[in-house]
Amino acid sequence: MGTKQSNIALLISGVFSLTALPTVAAESNQDVTIDETITVTGTRFDRTSEQQLTVINTIERSEIERLNPKSVADVLETLPGVSVVRNGGAGQSASISLRGTNSSHVLVIVDGVKVGSATLGNFSFNTLSPESIERIEVLKGPRASVWGSDAIGGVIQIFTRQLKSDEWYVGAEYGSNDYIRGSAGVGVEHGNGSSTLTVNREQSDGYDIYRGADSEKDDDGYSRTSLSLKGSQQLDQHWQALWSGQYDRGNTQYDDIYGSGGADESDYANYIWNLGAQYQGDKLTSKFTVNQSRDYNENFRGDNKDVARADFETMRKQVSWSNQYLLADGLNLNGGLDWSNEAVLGDYAQDERDILGAYVLVGKQWQQLLAEVAVRYDDVENIDSETTYNVSFAYQFDEHWRLSATTGTAFKVPTFNDLYWPNSGNPDLLSETSTSYDMTLNYSRNTVSAYISVFKNDIDNLIAWAPTGEVDDNGWDIWKPANVNNAEISGVEFFTKFEIFGFDNQLAYTYLEPEDKKTGEMLIGRSENEVNYSLSYQWHDFDLLANYHYQGKRFAGYGLYLEAYQQLDLGIGYQVADNWQLRLKANNVFDEEIISATNYISPGRELFFSVSYSAF
């Protein structure tokens, strides 16, 4: 690690020696007034950008529309520190990594509800349509002290569409691989409240995603349908009722990569619902929610649904009570309780567990200095309990420059598969744990904003398959999950956006040194360098967008690397009339061969045309 650490030190010292460096604002949406950006993921309550003590990138609906993505992974990949590994195109599985951590080290929340599989340990981003999304917040670094398990790398919170009363839209799109989409949404007023209902349907014939020697040679298509409802009702001066629901149903075709007659298709049917009440007083804000989520997947062979059939289901019930109290000028107290019950379908030695958590967060402002301390305790049934913390400071030098530093711990509870999978689970597993450090310098002035963040994350008790020292009846070694691995991830993350001659620019660069401390090798699936650049321009009724992504070579294990690749996407939108808009999008313009997972091929050049009507 000596050489690697010196590389980072040189890079850091070089960057901070640039006195004219345009650095600051963690937000990546393209609003000009950075200070008006509000985020909730850091503390569960509204905070302006200058009140946040950790890096939070945001993407708003307007930016999603310009990107015209085919998957949530396409949106997330435009952000600094976010890396995507795809098993094919939009409808296939994709792993999201924050600052080099595992995909299972990312807590995913949809409208305040924790989602994902308790058997696999992560969330299937391919099941959610970008058309259903209003806003995304991506928090970097551990936030277990506020949210609990899984937030080792960070938190991704997704907010579904919300329209005002009498607002509505309809849209349609057609493109490569016989892709077709139809979507609609409407906002309805009811007394002192409103609700939004949206529906989206899309499908594609796909292409052959895998190039293994024994794999199937056929197109792998997908279809998905999303229905969402979101609303609120003001009951009186202080009380408000809240509700949301999301239903996603679809089908994905993939390849039996070993040609063994196994499953090559899956159906999924996932839902969430959330009911809540919020009290807003002069000093106290209190929110109580009850919710449930389901992650269901059925695998089978497409030519015979009874062959290789396997059903997987996770049910999660959650109750949360969160509070924010203004004790005095500049002194805030946050705290609350969380209870959840996770249950899985299958022949497990234990098929459900309860998790109870309690947290408290104190924030204090002294003129230019802002400090925050958070502590949380989680008791996980039949597994070790965990106490996590965050300590953060920020100093505002002047109206343009701000320096913040934070350290914290986080954990990831073992999955039901790790613990109780029939004949191979290990019920003695401990939670994976981490300790991280982060320092961020921010700059903001007029139409220029940027930040540079230096970070380090030490992760212990990583779960991996390992021999138990026993043999089976045939003399073969018995392998089971065990807490055998450790990792150290350090890096630098840079982001800036600025305007030149009417052109809006966004540039992001991430440098990673992700080391497996057991082998001394780079962590599998990571690369040292990743670059994103976006250029947009508004001219009369036209808007233009160019997105460039560079992914450095990825370590594939056994001394092998996947080749680096780059991708350029171009888009143009035309406002035909006040309400009508046409949009043309070309992905992978240079038809690059993109392989982000061994033998899995991303789409070549694609072209999409959409038309939409919005009554806003």
Side-chain angles (χ1 to χ4, degrees):
M1 280 294 292
T3 301
K4 292 183 177 181
Q5 289 173 341
S6 64
N7 288 342
I8 281 193
L10 287 172
L11 181 57
I12 294 170
S13 62
V15 170
F16 276 94
S17 67
L18 298 177
T19 57
L21 177 71
T23 14
V24 128
E27 288 70 28
S28 101
N29 59 306
Q30 294 190 345
D31 296 334
V32 173
T33 307
I34 306 299
D35 290 342
E36 293 182 355
T37 301
I38 302 295
T39 59
V40 302
T41 305
T43 63
R44 301 197 186 190
F45 291 95
D46 290 353
R47 289 287 182 93
T48 59
S49 58
E50 68 270 13
Q51 293 173 315
Q52 295 291 355
L53 293 174
T54 187
V55 175
I56 301 179
N57 302 125
T58 70
I59 293 186
E60 306 286 352
R61 181 67 215 170
S62 58
E63 178 68 6
I64 295 174
E65 290 177 353
R66 284 193 294 268
L67 287 170
N68 194 18
K70 297 297 162 282
S71 70
V72 178
D74 293 342
V75 182
L76 294 172
E77 194 172 36
T78 65
L79 297 174
V82 181
S83 186
V84 178
V85 176
R86 293 179 174 86
N87 287 358
Q92 308 299 325
S93 62
S95 299
I96 307 296
S97 172
L98 296 185
R99 291 184 169 179
T101 58
N102 292 340
S103 60
S104 59
H105 294 159
V106 179
L107 174 62
V108 181
I109 302 169
V110 177
D111 287 335
V113 182
K114 179 180 179 180
V115 294
S117 170
T119 54
L120 296 177
N122 51 28
F123 175 67
S124 298
F125 286 92
N126 61 303
T127 64
L128 187 62
S129 170
E131 284 296 309
S132 305
I133 298 174
E134 181 70 26
R135 173 184 175 89
I136 300 177
E137 295 180 4
V138 179
L139 181 151
K140 313 293 181 55
R143 211 58 177 172
S145 58
V146 173
W147 291 102
S149 177
D150 299 2
I152 287 178
V155 181
I156 297 175
Q157 181 153 206
I158 298 170
F159 302 87
T160 56
R161 297 287 295 269
Q162 189 161 12
L163 303 175
K164 297 179 182 178
S165 174
D166 297 328
E167 290 185 341
W168 61 277
Y169 71 89
V170 292
E173 185 173 11
Y174 181 78
S176 299
N177 301 315
D178 283 331
Y179 173 87
I180 187 169
R181 172 183 62 82
S183 57
V186 61
V188 180
E189 182 179 347
H190 37 73
N192 291 327
S194 63
S195 293
T196 299
L197 177 66
T198 65
V199 61
N200 180 78
R201 168 70 181 180
E202 57 191 296
Q203 65 183 46
S204 172
D205 290 346
Y207 64 99
D208 193 12
I209 65 171
Y210 193 80
R211 290 189 180 176
D214 299 323
S215 66
E216 301 170 305
K217 308 302 179 185
D218 62 348
D219 289 341
D220 303 299
Y222 69 93
S223 63
R224 57 189 174 204
T225 302
S226 298
L227 181 67
S228 67
L229 175 67
K230 188 174 185 177
S232 64
Q233 183 74 35
Q234 196 70 38
L235 304 178
D236 59 26
Q237 181 181 357
H238 299 292
W239 285 95
Q240 184 182 40
L242 309 165
W243 57 85
S244 63
Q246 175 86 20
Y247 179 74
D248 300 296
R249 186 183 185 92
N251 171 272
T252 299
Q253 299 169 352
Y254 52 94
D255 282 341
D256 171 19
I257 63 175
Y258 302 109
S260 60
D264 61 4
E265 195 168 334
S266 67
D267 290 336
Y268 63 86
N270 305 334
Y271 68 76
I272 63 171
W273 60 261
N274 187 27
L275 298 175
Q278 179 168 302
Y279 171 85
Q280 180 72 60
D282 293 336
K283 294 187 175 182
L284 173 66
T285 302
S286 185
K287 188 175 183 179
F288 182 83
T289 60
V290 179
N291 55 66
Q292 185 180 67
S293 64
R294 181 180 83 155
D295 184 278
Y296 176 78
N297 190 278
E298 175 187 322
N299 297 333
F300 53 88
R301 277 202 68 83
D303 54 6
N304 188 340
K305 209 167 184 178
D306 293 326
V307 175
R309 182 187 175 107
D311 296 342
F312 302 93
E313 182 179 48
T314 295
M315 294 286 291
R316 184 180 285 111
K317 303 173 185 176
Q318 303 172 80
V319 178
S320 295
W321 179 43
S322 51
N323 305 272
Q324 179 173 263
Y325 188 78
L326 178 62
L327 293 172
D329 289 341
L331 179 61
N332 287 282
L333 176 65
N334 289 41
L337 298 172
D338 296 310
W339 172 86
S340 65
N341 173 269
E342 297 177 341
V344 299
L345 176 70
D347 186 20
Y348 292 87
Q350 181 174 324
D351 58 9
E352 67 174 302
R353 64 186 176 202
D354 290 337
I355 302 175
L356 180 63
Y359 74 97
V360 61
L361 182 151
V362 180
K364 173 62 178 175
Q365 176 91 46
W366 295 277
Q367 296 180 343
Q368 291 121 314
L369 179 64
L370 178 63
E372 183 181 275
V373 177
V375 179
R376 181 183 174 103
Y377 175 81
D378 285 274
D379 181 71
V380 185
E381 185 178 5
N382 295 322
I383 308 176
D384 57 318
S385 61
E386 294 291 340
T387 300
T388 52
Y389 71 87
N390 272 92
V391 179
S392 306
F393 297 92
Y395 187 80
Q396 191 79 36
F397 295 100
D398 55 32
E399 60 181 321
H400 306 303
W401 292 93
R402 182 172 185 255
L403 180 67
S404 61
T406 183
T407 182
T409 57
F411 72 103
K412 164 71 178 180
V413 174
T415 68
F416 279 83
N417 284 359
D418 291 333
L419 292 163
Y420 309 117
W421 185 263
N423 302 317
S424 65
N426 180 2
D428 297 323
L429 290 173
L430 302 175
S431 294
E432 299 174 329
T433 59
S434 73
T435 303
S436 72
Y437 310 89
D438 179 292
M439 181 175 289
T440 303
L441 179 65
N442 295 273
Y443 175 85
S444 180
R445 186 168 189 168
N446 298 328
T447 60
V448 177
S449 65
Y451 73 83
I452 183 167
S453 186
V454 183
F455 57 87
K456 180 183 177 184
N457 200 346
D458 293 314
I459 308 174
D460 298 320
N461 293 327
L462 283 168
I463 297 171
W465 285 81
T468 63
E470 302 175 326
V471 296
D472 60 18
D473 294 339
N474 297 317
W476 294 92
D477 289 334
I478 297 176
W479 289 57
K480 289 186 177 182
N483 296 104
V484 294
N485 286 350
N486 300 303
E488 181 181 283
I489 304 171
S490 53
V492 179
E493 178 180 304
F494 170 76
F495 172 80
T496 182
K497 64 177 182 177
F498 54 94
E499 181 184 330
I500 297 179
F501 304 122
F503 288 87
D504 292 320
N505 300 261
Q506 292 190 19
L507 174 64
Y509 170 67
T510 305
Y511 174 76
L512 280 181
E513 289 181 354
E515 182 188 27
D516 184 329
K517 296 177 70 174
K518 181 179 180 180
T519 64
E521 294 183 320
M522 195 172 188
L523 295 176
I524 292 177
R526 278 70 161 187
S527 62
E528 286 187 344
N529 301 289
E530 190 166 352
V531 178
N532 290 289
Y533 175 67
S534 171
L535 177 69
S536 61
Y537 183 74
Q538 184 79 38
W539 180 70
H540 298 290
D541 294 325
F542 291 89
D543 66 84
L544 309 175
L545 177 68
N547 266 330
Y548 171 81
H549 176 73
Y550 171 82
Q551 183 72 57
K553 63 179 183 179
R554 276 192 166 111
F555 184 58
Y558 305 104
L560 302 175
Y561 287 84
L562 299 178
E563 291 185 3
Y565 64 84
Q566 53 189 334
Q567 179 174 337
L568 177 66
D569 301 336
L570 300 176
I572 180 172
Y574 176 60
Q575 197 74 32
V576 180
D578 289 342
N579 303 106
W580 288 96
Q581 186 179 73
L582 306 178
R583 188 167 296 279
L584 184 65
K585 179 71 180 296
N587 292 335
N588 194 6
V589 173
F590 297 118
D591 200 23
E592 287 272 326
E593 182 178 79
I594 297 174
I595 302 176
S596 64
T598 303
N599 289 331
Y600 283 95
I601 311 299
S602 292
R605 186 185 298 112
E606 295 180 302
L607 191 64
F608 300 94
F609 175 76
S610 63
V611 56
S612 61
Y613 180 92
S614 302
F616 292 165

